[in-house]
């Protein structure tokens, strides 16, 4: 009985360590505000490994998606600190690259 409770505790601790985060990106033309389809957007999800950073590299978690006909895409990844950055990877010809910025989640849902 004690072993089963121990394994359940480990599972709960690991699931709280790195929560899945979602970010919705929308790519628009600055002048006409029309959505741009087929643009690659990349997101980075920060993970803090604490003292282990001295002996092993910090994992880089990324997700790349292409915008749909509405100029939107949903990127997802795991982060234990709630810090996400995103940018347009390869802008279409005639456009400059765009950096979406850094985002910090302060809350999470009941299920992570």
């Amino acid at each position: 009985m004690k072993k089963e409770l121990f394994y359940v505790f480990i599972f709960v601790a690991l699931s709280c360590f790195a929560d899945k985060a979602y970010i919705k990106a929308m790519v628009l033309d600055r002048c006409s505000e029309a959505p741009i389809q087929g643009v690659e957007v990349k997101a980075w999800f920060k993970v803090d490994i604490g003292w282990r950073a001295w002996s092993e590299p910090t994992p880089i978690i990324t997700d790349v998606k292409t915008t749909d006909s509405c100029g939107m895409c949903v990127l997802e990844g795991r982060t234990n600190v709630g810090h996400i950055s995103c940018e347009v990877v390869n802008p279409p010809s005639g456009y400059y690259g765009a950096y979406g910025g850094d985002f910090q989640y302060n809350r999470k849902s009941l299920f992570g």
Side-chain angles (χ1 to χ4, degrees):
M1 186 68 173
K2 288 184 181 181
K3 286 185 181 180
E4 290 175 11
L5 291 175
F6 179 72
Y7 291 132
V8 169
F9 174 73
I10 296 272
F11 175 75
V12 171
L14 290 176
S15 68
C16 293
F17 178 71
D19 291 322
K20 186 170 266 195
Y22 299 90
I23 186 166
K24 186 182 281 189
M26 182 178 219
V27 181
L28 301 172
D29 182 291
R30 178 176 241 172
C31 297
S32 66
E33 296 184 2
I36 303 175
Q37 180 180 1
V39 177
E40 283 188 349
V41 180
K42 184 175 187 176
W44 290 268
F45 299 86
K46 185 176 180 181
V47 177
D48 183 12
I49 59 172
W51 61 270
R52 293 182 302 148
W54 288 93
S55 61
E56 61 187 82
T58 303
I60 300 171
I61 299 171
T62 61
D63 188 19
V64 178
K65 295 283 174 58
T66 304
T67 57
D68 60 8
S69 61
C70 298
M72 299 181 78
C73 62
V74 177
L75 301 126
E76 61 185 72
R78 296 215 174 262
T79 175
N80 62 350
V81 293
H83 187 263
I84 301 169
S85 302
C86 88
E87 73 174 1
V88 172
V89 180
N90 295 319
S93 63
Y95 289 95
Y96 293 108
Y99 180 68
D102 294 324
F103 305 95
Q104 181 72 38
Y105 286 102
N106 296 326
R107 296 179 292 144
K108 60 182 178 178
S109 70
L110 178 64
F111 301 106

